[in-house]
Amino acid sequence: MAALSEEQSLIRDQAKSWVSEKAPVRKFREMRDARIGQAYAPEAFSAMVDMGWTGILVPEAYGGSDLGYLTFGLILEELGRQLTASPLLASGLVGTSAILLGGNEEQKQAWLPNLVDGSAILTLAVDEGPRHAPEKTALAASASGDGFVLDGSKVGVLEGMAATAFVVAARTSGEPGSDQGISLFLVPADAKGVTRSARVTADSRGYADVTFAKVEIGSDALLGSLDEGFELLDTLLDRGRAGLAAEMLGIAGGAFAMTLDYLKTRKQFGRVIGSFQALGHRAADMYSGMELARSCVEAALAAIDADAGNVAELCSLAKCKMGDHLHLVSNELIQMHGGIGMTDEYDAGFYLKRARAMETIYGNQAFHRERYARLLGY
Amino acid sequence: MRTTQGIREHRERVMTATATRTDQGSDIEAFRADVRSWLADNFPSALQGVPPAMEGASEGKHAADMERWRERLAERGWGAPHWPQVYGGAGLDHAHVRVLAQEMGRAGAINPIPMLAGMGVTMVGPTILEYGTEEQKQRHLPGIASGKVRWCLGLSEPNAGSDLASLGTVAEDRGDHFVVNGQKIWTSGADISQWCGALVRTDKSVAKHKGISFLMLPMDQSGVRTRPIRLISGASPFCETFFDDARAEKDDLLGELNDGWNVIKRLLQHERASQTSAAGPGGRQKPEGLHDIAKRYVGVDTSGRLDDPDLRARLTQHLMDAAAHKLTAERIAAEARGNPEVSAAASIMKNSATGISQARSELMLEIMGQQGLGWEGDVFAADELSTVREWLWGKAISIYGGSAEVQKNIISKNILGLPETTQKG
């Protein structure tokens, strides 16, 4: 754990106790069983809004508390621990960051207060194929009158069914594959021509495939500069990646705590299975991996707060190391639990399924290793 | 439940609190300026980047400079700067020690004293500070802190390696002194040390951990004989050490009689803490990055990528591991606030550092191809030859100081609280 300020400790403790009292993994199970449409409990998100969590990144002038990404990460970690479902990451972090990074003064005033009070849910629509590849954006935005017309589709949009609006990565010039010619647009979910369908995934969370058919938007919908939106998109994605990594830290922590508890209580061959060295050493590896991954995640979040020069490098490092670690821990969770880990009645499976989703979103480990190598210049 | 309003009010209090912290900052900066000007006046520029030879400063063309540099460092207590001044240190806290290290690094100055003192500064000294009597501290610590007295450690025996507690070297109580008989192995620098910290059995009638004591033995006596061991790397940093009616005085016992296992556990924590740098087996960070070396040997494709995708992916994994390790070391230091030397994380960091260091050596060898196989001769560059030796020597680091497997036992039992392997549940 980073050397936290007293304030950060308070926020983390608040998140920890709220999550374990009001939104434990049992609630997630109830939601999964009820198959509710937006894939999170609206009252849980309202409670988060009331606690000020949606305002953590937002300057006080727009109704937030401006406490920064490291603080936000502490909350996400606690949510991850119990798999608490909400659009806090998709909208409170990614959508909000989009406005903070790319919005002009009018856009900030129009969006930030609504994001803070939870009336707006703004999420990023970026991927168009099965693999994360933002430079391959093909969804077309063509100039028309004094606005644009969007044509194309996006897949796997986080909390896409609940979103009231999307940040859409679109191609305004050039060819898919080029990082030139990409622009970002703010598109209301109820705009004419926008249709969405729920994507039913193994992790039982909210995703949508969204189609934009001749969607007309005004010039004020442009976020950042025309044709030169890739840098903004990449910076935005990095913030999302750091946030994902923070939540993954909690998921891995929760999975490891379950595993360790099981190792200390399950008996076979007349002894507690944690006394077997073959398991003890693997537990030691997981613990060590967690400490190393945590350092990367906290460094990435702190670098964003400090506006450091190596944010991109650290975010890829964090997402990749955290992804590798969560991958290992989620598999060991099932293996060390044996048969009971395979049953739906037990929570282990939820963690495994969520782990793979989190690894995939905004670039898996291979994506970030490739990016890291490019950033280092080899 | 706190709201944003509450958070905001709290923040104002926190900000007032941080204002006091900046005072410390100015003290640090004054110290930095002092170190910088002292180095300019006292560090012999001929020694820039020159590491002290393993056998000490008495040989080679830099001998006179090295001895002068050692003396000046010792005068300021900067050989072991975090030790109290009365014992030859400078009484600096962690923040000041770090500034000192940063400034020495900037000037290309290497502190030779920890190397000259053998195991003295890193392990024996901190343990004496903790367990020694006042008389023992005054007798032993200044010699170590000045780099004039070298210590070795007599721990492992031919039949007591990872299972250290089964050691058989015996110390017999002869009234006013002990007589020691037995054999130690892997004693680093025993042939050039003046003192040895040795684990000896003082009670055979109790459980193996409970009859062990820690003795401090002078090496210059007829009952002590050493023989260097040649390693696979060709170097001989270790000895076998034979005790044949060797003598130790009663007041050379460190800690209580039969409490040596606790003394050594603490000493080994200091050892782990000193081994957690992932800079490589020699403790020096190579100035050229591994990926640059790879580009030089392997070449790049038209888009500037290393021309071996498989190597490139594994190299990235390694560089990420090294970055994670470095960030973790920084995090531990920040969390420990002033007590960075010994923490529960020592086992994690030892395994991480050794794994990274060994992986680096393997990658270096692979990158160099045929050039990474040399033993001697002109067809190999000096750094190619040293790569091979470091690769071989590096195999030792996951064995000594508690093997990688022993560290995992420590993590699983002591940190995670998993039950003993032998325990029936």
Side-chain angles (χ1 to χ4, degrees):
Chain A
M1 188 64 60
L4 297 181
S5 68
E6 196 187 331
E7 172 181 49
Q8 288 169 326
S9 305
L10 280 170
I11 290 172
R12 189 205 43 206
D13 294 346
Q14 175 200 40
K16 196 187 274 292
S17 67
W18 180 81
V19 167
S20 56
E21 282 166 31
K22 305 287 185 187
V25 67
R26 177 172 47 80
K27 293 278 185 187
F28 174 74
R29 176 179 292 278
E30 286 168 13
M31 184 207 81
R32 193 272 318 247
D33 291 345
R35 298 181 71 99
I36 65 170
Q38 66 247 78
Y40 65 87
E43 63 274 18
F45 187 53
S46 301
M48 294 180 192
V49 170
D50 290 344
M51 288 184 285
W53 294 354
T54 43
I56 286 200
L57 303 178
V58 176
E60 300 188 12
Y62 305 101
S65 56
D66 200 13
L67 292 167
Y69 286 83
L70 186 61
T71 306
F72 205 117
L74 297 171
I75 295 170
L76 290 172
E77 182 180 343
E78 295 308 322
L79 297 179
R81 214 175 287 283
Q82 298 279 349
L83 302 178
T84 307
S86 82
L88 188 68
L89 184 126
S91 179
L93 191 152
V94 181
T96 302
S97 296
I99 302 296
L100 289 170
L101 287 166
N104 55 33
E105 190 50 41
E106 271 171 48
Q107 288 167 327
K108 285 181 182 170
Q109 292 196 6
W111 286 93
L112 293 175
N114 296 341
L115 286 164
V116 173
D117 72 18
S119 58
I121 293 178
L122 176 65
T123 87
L124 176 65
V126 55
D127 289 325
E128 300 178 14
R131 312 271 294 179
H132 179 63
E135 77 286 353
K136 289 188 181 162
T137 294
L139 184 144
S142 31
S144 157
D146 67 342
F148 299 88
V149 175
L150 301 191
D151 250 313
S153 56
K154 296 288 182 181
V155 298
V157 177
L158 302 192
E159 308 299 345
M161 295 310 285
T164 60
F166 301 104
V167 176
V168 181
R171 186 154 292 282
T172 38
S173 69
E175 293 298 316
S178 164
D179 57 13
Q180 294 299 306
I182 291 173
S183 311
L184 300 187
F185 295 97
L186 291 160
V187 185
D190 59 4
K192 189 160 170 281
V194 175
T195 51
R196 52 183 159 181
S197 57
R199 173 175 274 260
V200 182
T201 54
D203 68 341
S204 306
R205 293 286 287 262
Y207 304 89
D209 292 345
V210 187
T211 303
F212 300 82
K214 297 202 166 43
V215 176
E216 293 177 22
I217 48 172
S219 60
D220 58 349
L222 176 68
L223 188 66
S225 336
L226 187 67
D227 285 340
E228 284 162 17
F230 186 80
E231 200 184 316
L232 170 61
L233 176 61
D234 208 32
T235 307
L236 174 60
L237 282 167
D238 271 338
R239 298 193 173 193
R241 288 157 183 154
L244 285 164
E247 191 169 332
M248 291 159 87
L249 199 53
I251 300 170
F256 183 58
M258 272 172 89
T259 307
L260 197 58
D261 190 49
Y262 195 72
L263 291 178
K264 289 178 181 177
T265 50
R266 169 72 172 170
K267 287 182 184 174
Q268 287 287 276
F269 307 102
R271 57 163 78 168
V272 175
I273 61 171
S275 68
F276 291 115
Q277 199 178 40
L279 298 184
H281 280 192
R282 277 152 64 191
D285 285 341
M286 284 193 271
Y287 179 76
S288 307
M290 178 76 101
E291 289 300 309
L292 292 159
R294 173 182 293 283
S295 311
C296 300
V297 176
E298 292 179 352
L301 292 163
I304 295 172
D305 285 333
D307 201 16
N310 58 348
V311 166
E313 212 175 291
L314 285 172
C315 288
S316 272
L317 176 71
K319 182 73 177 24
C320 183
K321 291 298 290 181
M322 199 55 240
D324 278 343
H325 177 66
L326 181 57
H327 193 94
L328 170 78
V329 170
S330 60
N331 279 336
E332 291 286 55
L333 167 70
I334 303 295
Q335 178 64 25
M336 291 191 182
H337 275 83
I340 195 168
M342 291 295 297
T343 63
D344 182 71
E345 195 187 344
Y346 207 74
D347 293 333
F350 290 156
Y351 286 82
L352 174 69
K353 294 169 196 171
R354 185 65 181 151
R356 289 307 171 277
M358 297 295 273
E359 287 172 53
T360 307
I361 297 167
Y362 298 164
N364 63 12
Q365 290 87 295
F367 176 94
H368 287 290
R369 274 192 283 271
E370 166 63 33
R371 184 168 181 256
Y372 192 79
R374 255 188 297 119
L375 288 167
L376 262 63
Y378 62 92
Chain B
M1 206 125 293
R2 299 180 70 87
T3 58
T4 330
Q5 177 60 33
I7 290 170
R8 223 175 282 156
E9 283 165 11
H10 176 72
R11 182 150 58 134
E12 276 158 30
R13 290 200 300 277
V14 173
M15 284 167 99
T16 332
T18 41
T20 37
R21 247 175 263 149
T22 26
D23 297 342
Q24 277 180 333
S26 59
D27 160 50
I28 289 275
E29 286 319 302
F31 177 70
R32 187 185 297 282
D34 174 35
V35 173
R36 211 172 274 191
S37 74
W38 184 86
L39 283 170
D41 294 344
N42 291 281
F43 175 59
S45 55
L47 289 183
Q48 265 191 7
V50 177
M54 175 76 187
E55 58 279 11
S58 58
E59 290 158 40
K61 59 176 176 172
H62 295 297
D65 276 338
M66 192 61 92
E67 176 55 18
R68 193 155 52 95
W69 169 228
R70 182 201 62 73
E71 241 171 49
R72 291 189 176 171
L73 270 175
E75 275 165 21
R76 290 224 48 171
W78 286 353
H82 48 292
W83 291 9
Q85 282 175 314
V86 285
Y87 305 129
L92 300 185
D93 66 11
H94 176 59
H96 287 79
V97 170
R98 196 164 52 187
V99 167
L100 178 60
Q102 283 166 352
E103 289 304 314
M104 287 187 40
R106 228 176 53 91
I110 293 171
N111 176 6
I113 289 174
M115 291 184 223
L116 295 171
M119 304 292 158
V121 172
T122 49
M123 285 179 265
V124 177
T127 314
I128 292 177
L129 268 174
E130 205 168 323
Y131 283 92
T133 62
E134 188 52 39
E135 193 275 326
Q136 288 172 330
K137 290 179 195 175
Q138 290 186 9
R139 181 166 171 216
H140 292 296
L141 295 178
I144 295 172
S146 66
K148 294 187 87 161
V149 179
R150 181 189 286 268
W151 282 72
C152 63
L153 278 173
L155 307 181
S156 299
E157 298 179 4
N159 291 317
S162 284
D163 180 15
L164 187 57
S166 66
L167 58 91
T169 295
V170 171
E172 230 179 289
D173 191 336
R174 294 279 174 85
D176 64 336
H177 68 280
F178 292 103
V179 169
V180 181
N181 281 288
Q183 183 193 348
K184 294 290 176 184
I185 194 166
W186 312 125
T187 39
S188 312
D191 49 341
I192 50 171
S193 292
Q194 287 80 46
W195 283 83
C196 175
L199 272 193
V200 294
R201 188 156 301 287
T202 38
D203 188 345
K204 289 184 185 171
S205 66
V206 292
K208 61 181 182 178
H209 293 86
K210 296 190 173 149
I212 293 173
S213 301
F214 191 98
L215 273 185
M216 301 184 283
L217 273 136
M219 295 294 280
D220 184 18
Q221 57 170 306
S222 60
V224 178
R225 193 163 51 84
T226 61
R227 194 175 72 83
I229 302 167
R230 188 177 158 88
L231 296 184
I232 53 177
S233 61
S236 304
F238 297 122
C239 293
E240 288 178 286
T241 302
F242 303 91
F243 300 115
D244 188 10
D245 283 343
R247 181 185 169 114
E249 300 309 318
K250 269 297 172 60
D251 56 7
D252 285 333
L253 179 70
L254 184 63
E256 299 291 313
L257 187 71
N258 294 324
D259 194 35
W261 192 250
N262 284 321
V263 178
I264 198 63
K265 274 206 294 203
R266 199 66 185 147
L267 184 140
L268 289 175
Q269 279 187 333
H270 289 294
E271 177 178 32
R272 259 163 243 141
S274 75
Q275 286 165 1
T276 52
S277 151
R284 284 166 285 132
Q285 191 74 55
K286 291 259 165 35
E288 194 184 14
L290 194 53
H291 55 282
D292 290 320
I293 299 173
K295 276 160 90 171
R296 195 149 52 76
Y297 280 87
V298 180
V300 294
D301 67 14
T302 49
S303 60
R305 289 189 178 90
L306 200 60
D307 213 357
D308 178 343
D310 186 290
L311 171 69
R312 182 169 177 268
R314 286 180 290 116
L315 179 62
T316 306
Q317 204 131 23
H318 165 73
L319 292 176
M320 283 186 159
D321 287 343
H325 180 87
K326 183 168 163 282
L327 291 170
T328 305
E330 289 168 8
R331 181 163 68 89
I332 289 171
E335 287 167 21
R337 280 178 211 259
N339 180 26
E341 294 149 72
V342 171
S343 80
S347 293
I348 297 174
M349 295 305 277
K350 197 226 162 188
N351 272 4
S352 167
T354 56
I356 289 163
S357 177
Q358 291 175 341
R360 181 189 163 95
S361 282
E362 292 288 357
L363 282 167
M364 283 280 278
L365 223 63
E366 177 183 344
I367 285 164
M368 290 179 171
Q370 288 284 356
Q371 294 305 106
L373 297 172
W375 191 254
E376 56 191 27
D378 294 344
V379 296
F380 304 105
D383 61 333
E384 292 169 345
L385 291 171
S386 69
T387 293
V388 175
R389 303 298 174 114
E390 284 180 12
W391 163 66
L392 288 164
W393 161 245
K395 298 300 174 198
I397 59 181
S398 54
I399 299 169
Y400 65 56
S403 66
E405 291 74 18
V406 168
Q407 304 304 336
K408 288 186 188 183
N409 286 344
I410 291 172
I411 296 167
S412 66
K413 308 287 180 255
N414 298 1
I415 300 179
L416 299 179
L418 290 175
E420 285 296 329
T421 305
T422 49
Q423 180 190 315
K424 297 276 182 181

